[in-house]
Amino acid sequence: MGNQETKLTPSILARVVVTGLLLQVFYQAFYFLSIRYELSPGLVSIVLGLQPIMTILFGGDKASPYKLLILLIGFSGLGLAIFGAKDVSQVTPLGVSFAILSVMAISIGSLFQKTIPMTPLESGMLQNGCASIVFVATSLIIGWHVNWSPNFVFSLSWMIVVVSTGAVLLLFYMIQRNSASKVSVLFYLVPILTMFFDFIIFDTEITTTTIMGALIVIASIKLFSLPSRRTSEKMLS
């Protein structure tokens, strides 16, 4: 993109607004609603693990049967790791529905983000602005009450600084330089890293099944990131 400035046309602005609604509003709202309606965090992670597959199915990138097989193996490894952590105890219809809507929102939003000719910072600021308007309006309509506590303040700060700002800008940066499917496959690592931090910080037990699932996930991500044989031949010719 260089140093060229992008003119904010109505078409680009519309894409930014739609993407912001998908990534900053619907994805996060549906995610929290799935937990609110008592779907266990492990099952939420499994549903969100469908994102790399859904990104391809929604038409973002073409993938060979070999690549799709790698994604399915990685998804099975994710499920194995989470089942090993015994974090799949609660299932509710509303929870599953909201989790599916959440993964659809982030999958489609990632594809839209790829089409926005703006820097990650510019796009992120506009999308956060749109999301803020929606959330403020919603809170004024339905009302809200906060029970301030140290845990809540820490969680709120983490979501604002690390997730909604830092992680989203990193996601936009990676999408700008790679295909949407290559970026989305990294989401397989999120629950794996969460379990690792639980082990480090809270001394949570990690089972052999979880370790096996994590190794399958890591191997799948590595294999998926390798260029296909056809691409390699073109690069060598």
Side-chain angles (χ1 to χ4, degrees):
M1 296 178 63
N3 295 323
Q4 295 181 350
E5 293 185 0
T6 301
K7 185 179 180 181
L8 189 60
T9 63
S11 174
I12 294 176
L13 180 59
R15 274 181 280 170
V16 171
V17 172
V18 171
T19 306
L21 291 175
L22 288 168
L23 294 180
Q24 298 286 6
V25 178
F26 296 138
Y27 164 62
Q28 297 194 45
F30 290 142
Y31 175 83
F32 284 113
L33 283 171
S34 66
I35 296 177
R36 165 67 177 80
Y37 285 97
E38 300 180 347
L39 186 65
S40 65
L43 284 174
V44 175
S45 297
I46 291 177
V47 176
L48 293 179
L50 290 170
Q51 186 199 351
I53 300 172
M54 295 184 71
T55 299
I56 291 176
L57 294 180
F58 285 148
D61 302 299
K62 293 183 179 179
S64 65
Y66 170 70
K67 293 283 190 179
L68 286 173
L69 178 60
I70 292 175
L71 288 180
L72 290 173
I73 293 174
F75 180 73
S76 66
L78 176 63
L80 186 64
I82 293 172
F83 273 103
K86 300 177 182 179
D87 192 17
V88 290
S89 55
Q90 294 175 301
V91 181
T92 63
L94 272 177
V96 172
S97 299
F98 282 126
I100 292 173
L101 289 173
S102 179
V103 72
M104 289 179 64
I106 193 172
S107 299
I108 298 174
S110 297
L111 297 176
F112 270 70
Q113 179 62 33
K114 185 70 176 177
T115 68
I116 297 176
M118 301 176 69
T119 66
L121 184 59
E122 292 171 335
S123 181
M125 289 178 62
L126 285 174
Q127 291 181 31
N128 278 335
C130 294
S132 298
I133 294 172
V134 173
F135 284 127
V136 169
T138 303
S139 67
L140 292 176
I141 294 172
I142 66 175
W144 61 289
H145 172 73
V146 175
N147 183 19
W148 296 98
S149 66
N151 287 339
F152 175 77
V153 173
F154 174 78
S155 300
L156 180 64
S157 302
W158 182 271
M159 290 298 299
I160 293 173
V161 177
V162 178
V163 177
S164 294
T165 304
V168 168
L169 287 178
L170 180 60
L171 173 66
F172 290 176
Y173 179 84
M174 291 189 297
I175 289 177
Q176 190 179 61
R177 285 157 177 76
N178 295 281
S179 66
S181 60
K182 283 185 177 180
V183 175
S184 61
V185 74
L186 296 176
F187 277 73
Y188 281 164
L189 282 176
V190 174
I192 303 298
L193 291 174
T194 301
M195 285 183 276
F196 174 74
F197 288 132
D198 280 345
F199 170 73
I200 296 296
I201 299 173
F202 302 109
D203 198 25
T204 304
E205 179 185 1
I206 293 184
T207 65
T208 303
T209 303
T210 295
I211 295 174
M212 291 175 58
L215 291 175
I216 292 174
V217 168
I218 294 171
S220 300
I221 293 174
K222 177 63 177 177
L223 289 173
F224 189 84
S225 64
L226 294 175
S228 63
R229 180 179 299 179
R230 183 177 300 178
T231 303
S232 301
E233 290 175 353
K234 287 182 178 181
M235 292 174 64
L236 294 174
S237 61

